[in-house]
Amino acid sequence: MTNNFQMVEVVRLLRRHEKEMVATLRAFVECESPSADKAAVDRFGEMVAREWRRRDATVRVIRQREAGNHVRAEIVPAARGRVGQLLVLGHLDTVYPLGTLRTMPFRAAGGRAFGPGTFDMKGGLVLALFAVDALREAGLKPAKRLVFFWDSDEEIGSHSSRKLIEAEARRSDAVLVLEPSLGLRGDLKTQRKGVGTAEIIVRGRAAHAGIDPGAGVNAVHELALQIERLMKMNDPANGITVQATVLAGGSASNVVPAEARAQVDVRCARLADVVKVNRRLQSMRPILKGAKIEVRGGISRPPLERTAGVQKLFANAQKIAREMGIELREGSTGGGSDGNFTAALGVPTLDGLGVVGDGAHALNEHLVIGKMAERAALIAALFATL
Ligand SMILES: [Zn+2]
């Protein structure tokens, strides 16, 4: 750490802003932003954009026709010329439909802040703002150009933002992802599985189930046989998981089903397995005579692998945390984030730098208020030194 930037000081400075951080969080949470509701996500995006403009960032609202708008904010580095870029990722959207606040209002109690999106990941968006404030208060400028990219559709696959994120990552030396940390200890995420959904559609032939079953081809039976095969793809030792999750099929209790469908959750830990797993899904062939099978989708978010670059970034963060008297740990998760895209391009990516808490996507979603200052300090220090 630089001599004039003492970690303990920065944490102390940020603790003085704890109330403000919670107030900003509250405003963010109370502006609901479900992924699929463009008007709502845009409204929240504007709120976030305003906060960045107040901090003299160069803000661009990247308009989308159907998806919500993305927000890009840029902070100028200390030095001029070719200084490199640090990309900071987060998302504006939440999984909670409009009106969730009625049954799950924002509330602070027992040192925790509850509400939809507190943990995943409006808290992370708040940390970024106050990390930049802390730098300024400490009289420091970031070593590199800081680009904050907040997308509107992370929770539904980042379809409209992926290309923009990848383009931004290619210009960056490292990527910091402000998704929530792992567990209440605040572990960072140095490994994420690749994730995707496949859909298996089986077509058979309808017939009377009692009078003339031989004339039919039972699509549900075919699907059941396929699922049995599918489950054999599970290879936990190598980080591959395959689960049939949502099933539908048949039209009436006395009709041989003509159609059946399954949604399949597919994940893998290694980049090299993405093609292999997707190819196996695509090569499913009918078992029953006369049945037809169609497979859509597969792993769409590549895994975030714990490369040497990722390890180096983590070691850096760990060193900074030690200066605050905190032993930072790392972990892996089966869930994906936008960091998966940037890591797959070979850009060192450190994820889980957001808030500490629990209950993502659940009724008890919350963050630990007392940890906000130290998390923001960690982020500020990474901005100043990477
Ligand atoms: Zn998230």
Side-chain angles (χ1 to χ4, degrees):
M1 187 93 279
T2 53
N3 291 334
N4 55 344
F5 194 67
Q6 293 300 321
M7 281 319 295
V8 189
E9 274 306 308
V10 182
V11 179
R12 199 172 300 151
L13 180 157
L14 275 155
R15 282 212 193 285
R16 287 201 293 271
H17 293 291
E18 199 175 83
K19 272 208 175 88
E20 264 174 84
M21 280 195 263
V22 175
T24 308
L25 176 69
R26 176 177 201 140
F28 280 9
V29 170
E30 291 183 342
C31 186
E32 291 179 299
S33 54
S35 321
D37 192 318
K38 176 169 171 60
V41 183
D42 288 354
R43 206 156 42 230
F44 177 54
E46 268 311 321
M47 180 183 274
V48 174
R50 258 196 315 275
E51 288 293 331
W52 284 98
R53 283 191 201 104
R54 272 181 44 199
R55 285 160 175 87
D56 298 325
T58 309
V59 179
R60 206 148 52 86
V61 175
I62 304 163
R63 306 206 178 272
Q64 304 294 307
R65 199 175 297 167
E66 275 155 34
N69 299 331
H70 313 303
V71 176
R72 181 190 188 276
E74 188 177 318
I75 299 269
V76 195
R80 291 193 173 275
R82 293 180 64 87
V83 288
Q85 173 170 306
L86 206 56
L87 176 62
V88 187
L89 290 180
H91 58 88
L92 300 164
D93 61 328
T94 74
V95 296
Y96 302 94
L98 276 191
T100 299
L101 278 173
R102 279 197 296 274
T103 51
M104 202 179 146
F106 178 89
R107 78 191 158 90
R112 296 175 185 221
F114 296 82
T118 44
F119 183 52
D120 185 12
M121 56 150 282
K122 290 181 173 176
L125 301 181
V126 173
L127 295 186
L129 290 163
F130 284 83
V132 166
D133 284 351
L135 277 189
R136 191 158 300 169
E137 255 187 272
L140 285 165
K141 281 199 163 186
K144 291 186 169 152
R145 179 170 58 248
L146 290 182
V147 171
F148 300 85
F149 194 93
W150 310 139
D151 64 342
S152 66
D153 58 352
E154 194 273 344
E155 296 287 6
I156 50 172
S158 307
H159 298 296
S160 77
S161 52
R162 179 175 182 169
K163 282 210 166 65
L164 296 164
I165 289 167
E166 288 175 338
E168 215 57 85
R170 283 194 189 94
R171 285 193 285 271
S172 304
D173 304 313
V175 180
L176 305 178
V177 188
L178 303 191
E179 287 280 355
S181 68
L182 203 61
L184 285 166
R185 221 167 47 181
D187 296 3
L188 301 192
K189 295 167 178 171
T190 52
Q191 235 176 332
R192 276 183 184 273
K193 280 191 173 176
V195 192
T197 308
E199 191 181 19
I200 299 167
I201 303 159
V202 177
R203 292 194 177 84
R205 196 182 320 116
H208 194 293
I211 298 168
D212 197 15
V217 178
N218 191 326
V220 167
H221 184 193
E222 171 72 27
L223 184 59
L225 295 171
Q226 292 293 348
I227 290 171
E228 182 59 26
R229 272 193 188 173
L230 205 63
M231 296 308 279
K232 295 205 173 80
M233 283 175 69
N234 277 294
D235 184 358
N238 287 307
I240 297 170
T241 64
V242 180
Q243 290 293 324
T245 50
V246 183
L247 299 194
S251 55
S253 67
N254 60 354
V255 177
V256 173
E259 199 184 290
R261 297 168 176 257
Q263 281 177 43
V264 182
D265 182 281
V266 205
R267 291 165 201 254
C268 70
R270 288 191 304 231
L271 201 52
D273 286 331
V274 174
V275 175
K276 209 177 84 187
V277 169
N278 283 349
R279 201 171 285 158
R280 267 188 81 176
L281 286 169
Q282 289 302 328
S283 65
M284 294 174 75
R285 294 291 170 265
I287 298 167
L288 299 177
K289 201 165 169 269
K292 289 195 179 77
I293 203 161
E294 183 192 340
V295 180
R296 293 179 188 163
I299 296 175
S300 52
R301 232 183 244 282
L304 189 166
E305 286 186 329
R306 191 175 174 276
T307 58
V310 171
Q311 289 174 49
K312 201 169 147 217
L313 267 183
F314 173 72
N316 223 310
Q318 204 173 33
K319 193 164 145 264
I320 293 166
R322 272 194 199 118
E323 292 177 36
M324 297 189 275
I326 295 162
E327 191 53 37
L328 200 60
R329 294 177 177 86
E330 60 181 314
S332 64
T333 169
S337 85
D338 287 332
N340 292 49
F341 298 138
T342 60
L345 295 175
V347 187
T349 300
L350 190 57
D351 203 335
L353 279 162
V355 291
V356 179
D358 204 2
H361 303 192
L363 267 173
N364 70 331
E365 179 164 339
H366 66 269
L367 62 78
V368 180
I369 295 169
K371 299 248 182 192
M372 289 180 89
E374 59 186 54
R375 298 299 280 198
L378 172 63
I379 296 165
L382 288 169
F383 290 172
T385 55
L386 279 182

